[in-house]
């Protein structure tokens, strides 16, 4: 399946309830907005969790291929809330303001990829027919996520990231450590996104179905 502006429009129309608002999330943040984000993060309660969950998409397990389980679309305001939530005693509103000035108007997009029964830690290795050897398996490289393509669209416009990095994820089973997937982080200049009401992350996998995670910018702060 190949991405096109028409296919994105169809997906977004079906997946989003569009708001009548004509502006996107706040950027740059005012001093008051930074303070609000700080105090919301410091609550560390259900209200904080519900707010941050609006900035996440939880996707279903595919029939085959790797599973993008979660996509986080953290605006500068949501990032300030999350940073405050992670900080314990001693973190003040003044510290939050300094962190915002240091980080700037960055938009962080975090993608969690998990292995499935059809796409796991072991990958099949095909041998040539001439060798007569049966097909075998090899451990999937830890940078397997680099084989995929990640694109952020603001409406129909492609937005280029400022940086991108990723790392494998692991868990321990019976004293053995196994790779379970990867987490990829893309950082964007938030001011590069327009006042469009919709955005979408598009991920292309070789030999597997394309994944689209839409976000309605008018519902995010």
């Amino acid at each position: 399946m190949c991405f096109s502006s028409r296919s994105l429009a169809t997906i977004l129309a079906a997946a989003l309830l569009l708001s009548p608002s004509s502006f996107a999330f706040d950027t740059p943040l005012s001093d008051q907005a930074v303070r609000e984000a700080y105090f919301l993060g410091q609550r560390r309660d259900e209200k904080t969790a519900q707010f941050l969950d609006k900035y996440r998409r939880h996707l279903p397990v595919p029939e085959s291929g790797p599973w993008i389980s979660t996509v986080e679309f953290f605006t500068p305001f949501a990032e300030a809330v999350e940073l405050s939530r992670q900080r314990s005693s001693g973190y003040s509103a003044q510290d939050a303001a300094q962190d915002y000035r240091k980080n700037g108007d960055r938009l962080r997009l975090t993608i969690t990829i998990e292995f499935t029964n059809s796409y796991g830690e072991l990958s099949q290795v095909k041998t040539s027919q001439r060798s007569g050897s049966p097909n075998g398996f090899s451990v999937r490289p830890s940078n397997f996520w680099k084989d995929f393509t990640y694109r952020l669209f603001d409406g129909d416009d492609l937005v280029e990231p400022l940086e991108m990095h990723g790392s494998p994820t692991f868990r321990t089973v019976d004293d053995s450590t196994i790779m379970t997937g990867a987490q990829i982080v893309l950082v964007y200049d938030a001011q590069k996104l327009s006042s469009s009401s919709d955005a979408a992350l598009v991920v292309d996998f070789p030999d597997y179905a394309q994944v689209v995670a839409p976000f309605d910018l008018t519902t995010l702060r």
Side-chain angles (χ1 to χ4, degrees), residues 1-4 7 66 68 111 113 119 144-153 158 201-212:
M1 183 186 300
C2 296
F3 171 79
S4 68
S7 64
I68 294 184
I111 306 161
I113 300 178
Y119 190 99
F144 73 93
W145 55 271
K146 290 185 177 181
D147 293 336
F148 311 148
T149 302
Y150 313 89
R151 294 176 291 166
L152 176 64
F153 285 86
L158 179 64
L201 168 72
V202 178
V203 183
D204 290 297
F205 303 102
D207 304 322
Y208 296 102
Q210 183 185 74
V211 173
V212 178

Side-chain angles (χ1 to χ4, degrees), residues 43-107:
R43 291 175 61 114
R44 301 187 187 89
D45 60 6
E46 185 177 349
K47 184 174 181 179
T48 307
Q50 289 176 346
F51 173 82
L52 291 173
D53 205 48
K54 294 192 304 182
Y55 294 77
R56 299 186 177 102
R57 292 290 176 269
H58 304 283
L59 306 180
V61 181
E63 293 183 0
S64 62
W67 174 29
I68 294 184
S69 60
T70 308
V71 178
E72 289 184 346
F73 190 96
F74 275 17
T75 64
F77 186 87
E79 187 77 343
V81 173
E82 173 65 6
L83 187 61
S84 176
R85 186 192 67 81
Q86 294 175 356
R87 298 296 191 269
S88 58
S89 60
Y91 188 70
S92 67
Q94 291 73 25
D95 294 329
Q98 290 179 2
D99 284 337
Y100 171 66
R101 288 193 293 270
K102 179 179 66 176
N103 296 330
D105 288 305
R106 299 291 183 94
L107 187 151

Side-chain angles (χ1 to χ4, degrees), residues 115-176:
F115 289 154
T116 63
N117 290 336
S118 62
Y119 190 99
E121 184 182 22
L122 299 180
S123 59
Q124 188 172 20
V125 178
K126 295 182 178 180
T127 59
S128 65
Q129 294 181 349
R130 291 183 179 180
S131 67
S133 301
N135 293 336
F137 292 88
S138 65
V139 177
R140 197 175 298 278
S142 61
N143 64 347
F144 73 93
W145 55 271
K146 290 185 177 181
D147 293 336
F148 311 148
T149 302
Y150 313 89
R151 294 176 291 166
L152 176 64
F153 285 86
D154 175 24
D156 294 334
D157 298 325
L158 179 64
V159 185
E160 295 293 342
L162 297 173
E163 60 184 80
M164 173 177 143
H165 54 89
S167 58
T169 55
F170 299 91
R171 65 184 174 93
T172 301
V173 178
D174 297 330
D175 297 326
S176 297

